Amino acid sequence: QKEVEQDPGPLSVPEGAIVSLNCTYSNSAFQYFMWYRQYSRKGPELLMYTYSSGNKEDGRFTAQVDKSSKYISLFIRDSQPSDSATYLCAMSGGTSGTYKYIFGTGTRLKVLA
Amino acid sequence: DVKVTQSSRYLVKRTGEKVFLECVQDMDHENMFWYRQDPGLGLRLIYFSYDVKMKEKGDIPEGYSVSREKKERFSLILESASTNQTSMYLCASSNYVGTPDFGAGTRLSVL
């Protein structure tokens, strides 16, 4: 079993839709949770960063962490064609150390105009 | 605003060549990382460094080595390139408690 599981998609939605992207994980010691956006042939860029449980909002993006279920989510409101990219979840912490980052394989998102 | 710079976006090399991938960060970060990214496998850690001249193996170090002589520079070396090392290589850096910042990536093809 992988430490982090992420549905690869692709996920296609119409412009303006609310998008929900999710990851599950098995290591209960993870404390730091991140979401990255990666455009085709580019490097990942950090979107959201959350420590421990709870919600965090930044503009159209909301990150949620549910440590009891070992489940994290990224919501995108009013999705735009420019949101079309691959979204990677990442986490770290616990016995692996804060700088041993474990990444999901990414979910490809297409927002249709 | 540039933070992590990888020296090449695209490289084509022949089997058996020695290949150098260079990465420079301008954020004074302690940690630097090399990952490779392959479809369906996600990002896999090759090596990371937490200080000058210090390095630790990641999950897939075989066939690779690294060098960190200066804090801002972290080099990945393919001693004898093979076709199964064709991939996207990503360099990243972070401070002790921060999140990694990535470079734009180097797409390496080994023929």
Side-chain angles (χ1 to χ4, degrees), chain A residues 4-25:
Chain A
V4 177
E5 298 275 2
Q6 186 174 12
D7 188 326
L11 177 63
S12 294
V13 301
E15 184 175 358
I18 296 174
V19 176
S20 173
L21 303 167
N22 311 293
C23 287
T24 59
Y25 62 95

Side-chain angles (χ1 to χ4, degrees), chain A residues 36-86:
Chain A
Y36 284 82
R37 177 176 62 195
Q38 185 176 22
Y39 292 114
S40 181
R41 300 183 181 275
K42 298 286 180 66
E45 56 177 326
L46 181 69
L47 272 180
M48 302 286 285
Y49 167 59
T50 310
Y51 171 71
S52 193
S53 283
N55 295 358
K56 187 172 184 179
E57 188 173 322
D58 184 2
R60 296 185 296 113
F61 299 90
T62 299
Q64 285 186 352
V65 175
D66 182 350
K67 292 192 74 178
S68 62
S69 301
K70 299 193 188 73
Y71 190 87
I72 69 170
S73 299
L74 177 71
F75 296 96
I76 307 174
R77 290 182 298 281
D78 187 25
S79 56
Q80 303 295 310
S82 59
D83 294 327
S84 298
T86 296

Side-chain angles (χ1 to χ4, degrees), chain A residues 2 32 34 36 38 41-46 49 86 88 98-106, chain B residues 9-10 31 33 35 37 40-43 48 59 90 94 96-100 102-104 107:
Chain A
K2 291 181 180 178
Y32 301 90
M34 293 145 271
Y36 284 82
Q38 185 176 22
R41 300 183 181 275
K42 298 286 180 66
E45 56 177 326
L46 181 69
Y49 167 59
T86 296
L88 305 166
T98 56
Y99 48 83
K100 179 76 182 296
Y101 304 97
I102 309 299
F103 287 83
T105 53
Chain B
R9 292 298 310 278
Y10 301 94
N31 303 323
F33 309 82
Y35 295 89
Q37 184 177 33
L41 297 177
L43 272 73
F48 78 95
D59 300 316
L90 289 162
S94 73
Y96 281 128
V97 294
T99 54
F102 284 88
R107 188 166 293 275

Side-chain angles (χ1 to χ4, degrees), chain B residues 10-21:
Chain B
Y10 301 94
L11 274 179
V12 180
K13 297 292 181 180
R14 297 217 174 265
T15 303
E17 279 193 76
K18 190 168 186 176
V19 181
F20 293 86
L21 302 183

